[in-house]
Amino acid sequence: MEARAGQAVIELLQGDITEQDTEAIVNAANRTLLGGGGVDGAIHRAAGPQLLSECRTLGGCETGDAKITRGYKMKARHVIHTVGPVYHSAGQKAPELLARCYRRSLEVASENNLKSIAFPSISTGAYGYPLREAAPIALKTVADYLNSHEGIQTVRFILFGKEAYEAYEEALKDLLQEKAL
Ligand code: ADP
């Protein structure tokens, strides 16, 4: 499924983010930026050990912030590492922290003049954010950014599995119905 937001298109796809050919892919990392499980582990495996070497120079990353590296062996030339909130520890701050991850990642993409970016579903794996709560926040934050900034042309959400895809599809349909794009 896809929808327009500003000059850009938001695409939803089921798949593996490490195989994407967008200029950047986003990593749902942890604050050390030194690798982990889930999508983080998959990205480090696909990129090769040079990614970890570059990450070691970054000094970690705060929750809600984002930092860029090269993509090494992957098709994507850049990885934007962001750190989502742990759902049960973040409490009431969880929605704002999750929104900040998407916004900061897009700002970093804009600063680097990138035109296309692929996101995973941040925080909805090990960090425990319910998919049905995370999907509308992710999509609304991205749509608001695209409606107020030029440059980025394609934002792809790469959903790992049917359940994630369906949650994002439903949230995107809701936004279209509310004319919130
Ligand atoms: P977090 O710690 O932010 O929750 P996880 O990596 O545990 O990060 O999970 C985030 C989301 O990424 C989950 O929905 C998970 O299913 C998904 N995921 C895992 N591997 C991949 C992959 N290779 N491509 C895209 N998404 C993935």
Side-chain angles (χ1 to χ4, degrees), residues 44-74:
H44 276 274
R45 278 194 298 279
Q50 285 174 298
L51 178 59
L52 183 58
S53 303
E54 186 175 356
C55 284
R56 283 192 207 286
T57 68
L58 298 178
C61 183
E62 292 297 319
T63 303
D65 199 3
K67 294 189 177 179
I68 192 166
T69 66
R70 289 166 57 191
Y72 299 98
K73 285 163 61 186
M74 295 186 292

Side-chain angles (χ1 to χ4, degrees), residues 15-18 28 37-40 42 120-128 158-160:
D16 180 345
I17 201 163
T18 65
V39 73
D40 196 0
S121 177
I122 297 164
S123 280
T124 61
Y127 282 4
I158 305 302
L159 291 326
F160 203 59

